[in-house]
Amino acid sequence: MSGDDLWRGGRDLQAAADAVGLGAWRVELGEERIELSAEACALFGLPAEEAGPRSTQEAWRFYAPEHRAPIERAFRDCVEQASPYDIEFEALTAAGQRRWLRATGEPVRGDDGGVVAVRGALQDIDPYKRREAELREAWREAERTDRAKSEFLSAMSHELRTPLNAILGFAQLLNAGIERDPEEHRAYLRHILSAGWHLRDLVGDLLDLARVEAGKTSFSPEPVRVGELLQECVRLAWEQAVERGVSIRLEEAAEGSACRVWADRLRAKQIVLNLLTNAVKYNRDGGSVTLSFHPEGEEEVAIDVRDTGIGIPRERSAALFESFERLGHELGEIEGAGLGLALALRLSRLMGGDLALVASEPGEGSHFRLRLPAAEAEGHDRSYGPSLDPQLLDDAEGEAPIQLLYVEDNSVNQLLLQGLAGQRGGVELLEANDAVGGLEIAERYAPDLILLDIHLPDMDGYELVRRLRAIPALEAVPVVAVSADATDEARRRALASGFDDYILKPFELEELNALIREIRLSK
Ligand code: ADP
């Protein structure tokens, strides 16, 4: 190798050392001094001019205090036992910053074979250490998520299977046909119904929560009069409150009577109803619930729900808004899945508001406050519909029955509608199993009402409604979608395709009954 090659090799080596942040050091034993190369100085944040010997005592300040002992030990072993070392530590730079370095050390032997000096390299490993810490944190986070997912699945399995057990269990008893007294029979049916409704709500909450977490919830905000919203919620919770022996009072603050919030009406109702039913559920016999509201500044309206119930222990309140968190009520009598508040909090925040537990005292009661953005006071509010009448009755006896076409491929759903039509009377049911059959019957009979399943074997309901709408004789016939797809997109798509309304499965029979009643009365 020529001298020139060597020189170039030295330069290249220098460039390589610079690229990976590599410096050299050497300690002469007995002289108590350490020599640092210019690169090693740079690693400690020192200017290159400070390269050269300095006292080992002074060098100690470049090591983070908690790393000094292992370095000292490794150095001592190297001197005493001639053992090389390779150690990672945190340095303190001249500017006071921490930087991860790797230090290697090896003994240098004198003529007599004894160790006379120690030399080694210093390497900047800070980027790797930081990346490693990030990866470790990401790993821990993945483990946490994985654990949460398993817990979620196990909680969900439990929550879904419990009501299913009641439904299938009591249905099997009824199916076995051992007729006891009719009261027992009715009690079994009540259990089936109550477990079924509970399951429906649970599935609704679960889907809602999944949509919220996936950022897929859509809102249609409008000015909503708070007084009316609360009245509607009270009406919906009334029966449950009476059963529980709890009274509900709605305080209407004078300044609040024109109070409006800017919110999605259905979502706002869902949140308040959740707070209200909780206040009833977790109350005591003879207890009470008070609802009130007031403007908070110009921007917000506060809705307060106070109860005289069992309260929430302070140490548990931190977990109150977590999903599947029941705060010790898991094994109790009170039904619930621990999803309501988790969902309510997320929904209220997505609407620009918030939800909080203001105060709670075990044995005394709780006070929740929902805050929603205020809307201007003017304008007209949509009124709420009439209260639901749970009886299935023919309301226009003697008059000609209406013709109802139901296009549905599922035989159990067909049976359900046959049952409803048979019970209430006043309905002549026409049925088709597929879209083509449905079109044929619709054209031939021009029925008064058409109900369409969306998932049909030969054509989807969106297409079918478009074709129905193209038939002039059917122009004025209401066509209603009956679907199990609870997403807002599905509902929007159905209405845009020409449906007049959208009924979600499972539905309360009263929902269909009301539709039929309306059409009979308008005939
Ligand atoms: P769920 O009622 O289905 O269990 P929520 O998410 O609505 O679920 O409430 C979570 C938990 O918070 C409940 O299980 C209950 O322990 C507690 N909680 C909620 N509201 C009240 C209240 N008004 N009084 C006492 N405890 C309550």
Side-chain angles (χ1 to χ4, degrees), residues 308-328:
T308 57
I310 55 182
I312 296 157
R314 193 179 301 273
E315 68 277 9
R316 306 201 95 153
S317 61
L320 191 59
F321 295 100
E322 283 172 19
S323 37
F324 287 120
E325 188 50 74
R326 299 218 58 216
L327 309 181

Side-chain angles (χ1 to χ4, degrees), residues 278 281-282 307 312 320 325-327 329 336-338 340-341 366:
N278 275 352
K281 276 196 318 192
Y282 301 104
D307 65 63
I312 296 157
L320 191 59
E325 188 50 74
R326 299 218 58 216
L327 309 181
H329 286 287
L341 285 180
S366 310

Side-chain angles (χ1 to χ4, degrees), residues 162-172 174 184-202 239 243 335 390 392 416 423 506-510:
T162 307
L164 260 182
N165 190 45
I167 294 173
L168 294 176
F170 287 112
Q172 286 173 81
L174 290 172
E184 195 173 30
H185 194 107
R186 267 198 294 278
Y188 288 177
L189 283 174
R190 270 199 302 276
H191 289 310
I192 292 178
L193 278 174
S194 126
W197 294 132
H198 173 65
L199 205 52
R200 179 192 67 166
D201 294 345
L202 185 66
E239 202 180 308
E243 267 172 25
E335 251 183 19
L392 305 176
L416 188 60
Q423 278 230 354
F507 46 79
E508 291 186 41
L509 288 184
E510 176 51 26

Side-chain angles (χ1 to χ4, degrees), residues 21-86:
L22 199 62
W25 62 273
R26 184 183 174 104
V27 170
E28 298 299 333
L29 299 185
E31 293 181 27
E32 294 298 318
R33 64 195 173 89
I34 181 170
E35 208 164 326
L36 294 174
S37 71
E39 300 75 32
C41 281
L43 293 177
F44 290 120
L46 297 168
E49 307 82 69
E50 293 196 24
R54 66 184 59 235
S55 86
T56 41
Q57 209 51 40
E58 188 201 338
W60 275 121
R61 71 182 162 95
F62 296 124
Y63 302 93
E66 69 274 26
H67 291 279
R68 284 176 194 161
I71 296 173
E72 216 169 356
R73 215 167 23 247
F75 185 85
R76 203 172 44 238
D77 288 351
C78 186
V79 173
E80 290 170 6
Q81 293 154 30
S83 53
Y85 64 89
D86 186 339

